[in-house]
Amino acid sequence: MRPNMTSLKVTPLTDTFGVMVHDLNLSKIAEDKEYPVLRALFEEHSALLFRDQELSAEDHLRLARMFGPIEDRMADSRKPGEELGVSPVSNQIADGRVTGEMDMHTLHLKANQLWHIDSTFMPTPSLCNILAAKVVTETGGETELASSRAAWAGMPEALRECIRGKILGHNYRRSRELISPKLAQQSMFNKWPPQRWPAVWANPVNGKEALYIASHVYQVEGMVQSEGKSLIEELMAFCTQPQFTYSHKWKVGDVLLWDQRATLHRGTPWPYDQPRTLASVCCSLQGTDGLDAARTALVNLQV
Ligand SMILES: [Fe+2]
């Protein structure tokens, strides 16, 4: 690790992206001290892992607010006075029961097992997800990451040329349809109109490009449907090869933080009769995080 990059001790998660950050208590981060170092690591390595954390919901939100505004997908249904909190990613519901394998809630969790980037279907997508393990299972339930930056850098030019300059259509409903047409009909998957985003984003700090693709993509503008679908499948297969991926086996206390502009992710199955709970907070992208450049690119790109 370059000594001028950080005063924190880090070790690589893979040969291509991601680091584990040692000896840092995430509940004690100061915005003017540790945060700038963390942010630099985030921009450079795309994924950060922290072990043995005791992150309360309050700590979790405080850390997230340093990265950006907390994403609020339920803003339209929040009751007056009800505060925005941490989102549980869990098969355990309010009464303590775990939901059945074919329950709509479990199917929604299964849709998260398709490679995706969070919130590309929203008018303002997310910068990062900060995921903390609360209840884990002995087997399964891994979270897997794929570096769409490392994959883009390693992609044959002929394949890059097929997608460079293209605009992709994203829709929440699309990824749910792939699991269950009935699931896709639920109102929460239909409340945002389709969004358009450039297929390639450049990191505003270091200029490194990454593919911006997800299971939410339903269209490559300017291509017939079948060709666009085949191209996305080919790109997804390329990005998720072993040399570009990391599979995280959770322990309680782990916190994983990744850059949605350069990383795809997915969950993996676990025994659904056992509870498994991760706490998630996503932060929204701000203009200087590359959102302004992406919106400008939409105006300039030819369909
Ligand atoms: Fe996700």
Side-chain angles (χ1 to χ4, degrees):
M1 194 56 51
R2 283 177 288 163
N4 63 347
M5 172 54 80
T6 174
S7 57
L8 294 169
K9 185 183 171 206
V10 298
T11 49
L13 292 179
T14 75
D15 290 341
T16 53
F17 77 109
V19 290
M20 177 152 64
V21 182
H22 301 267
D23 308 321
L24 187 68
N25 183 344
L26 288 175
S27 63
K28 305 275 188 228
I29 302 291
E31 190 152 12
D32 59 348
K33 286 188 180 165
E34 292 88 353
Y35 172 69
V37 181
L38 271 190
R39 181 71 191 228
L41 290 170
F42 169 82
E43 302 287 358
E44 181 66 19
H45 299 287
S46 306
L48 309 179
L49 171 65
F50 310 85
R51 299 273 200 196
D52 302 317
Q53 301 293 318
E54 290 183 22
L55 208 58
S56 67
E58 224 167 61
D59 295 334
H60 200 155
L61 290 165
R62 193 179 75 87
L63 173 66
R65 281 193 195 95
M66 294 182 205
F67 283 85
I70 307 294
E71 182 178 282
D72 187 4
R73 291 189 191 179
M74 308 306 285
D76 56 342
S77 56
R78 196 169 307 291
K79 298 182 187 100
E82 190 182 350
E83 287 201 9
L84 174 59
V86 169
S87 303
V89 180
S90 180
N91 59 333
Q92 195 162 30
I93 53 179
D95 63 6
R97 276 187 309 121
V98 292
T99 55
E101 182 158 0
M102 296 311 290
D103 186 281
M104 284 296 143
H105 178 71
T106 312
L107 291 178
H108 169 50
L109 296 173
K110 286 186 178 180
N112 290 335
Q113 293 166 15
L114 302 172
W115 286 108
H116 65 286
I117 298 168
D118 294 318
S119 320
T120 61
F121 47 81
M122 291 176 70
T124 301
S126 87
L127 167 69
C128 62
N129 192 338
I130 306 175
L131 204 50
K134 302 298 179 184
V135 179
V136 302
T137 50
E138 280 281 309
T139 58
E142 292 85 2
T143 294
E144 299 190 328
L145 306 178
S147 173
S148 60
R149 178 190 289 177
W152 180 251
M155 191 175 286
E157 191 52 35
L159 183 53
R160 285 161 58 122
E161 279 306 306
C162 294
I163 192 71
R164 196 195 292 278
K166 295 278 195 246
I167 295 171
L168 306 182
H170 296 249
N171 195 338
Y172 207 179
R173 181 186 178 90
R174 167 66 183 160
S175 55
R176 273 50 199 165
E177 278 171 350
L178 296 172
I179 297 295
S180 157
K182 196 174 164 200
L183 176 70
Q185 289 171 12
Q186 294 195 335
S187 59
M188 70 177 286
F189 305 122
N190 292 278
K191 65 181 178 181
W192 293 285
Q195 304 295 321
R196 306 167 68 236
W197 298 113
V200 179
W201 287 42
N203 179 293
V205 174
N206 55 36
K208 291 179 182 172
E209 290 182 324
L211 260 184
Y212 197 68
I213 59 173
S215 56
H216 312 305
V217 172
Y218 70 96
Q219 180 186 41
V220 181
E221 291 188 8
M223 295 182 81
V224 298
Q225 196 67 23
S226 56
E227 278 178 27
K229 184 169 178 284
S230 299
L231 178 57
I232 293 299
E233 286 171 357
E234 185 177 0
L235 293 166
M236 198 66 91
F238 190 92
C239 288
T240 56
Q241 295 176 93
Q243 65 269 36
F244 305 127
T245 56
Y246 168 69
S247 182
H248 186 65
K249 174 72 187 157
W250 289 102
K251 285 188 201 151
V252 171
D254 289 352
V255 175
L256 192 57
L257 156 60
W258 67 86
D259 183 348
Q260 312 261 24
R261 303 164 299 176
T263 317
L264 294 155
H265 67 281
R266 68 174 179 181
T268 63
W270 69 92
Y272 295 112
D273 57 347
Q274 297 173 27
R276 183 253 200 184
T277 301
L278 306 176
S280 167
V281 179
C282 284
C283 304
S284 295
L285 277 166
Q286 299 179 87
T288 52
D289 295 325
L291 185 59
D292 286 348
R295 287 177 172 153
T296 301
L298 287 178
V299 176
N300 297 332
L301 289 173
Q302 296 290 324
V303 177

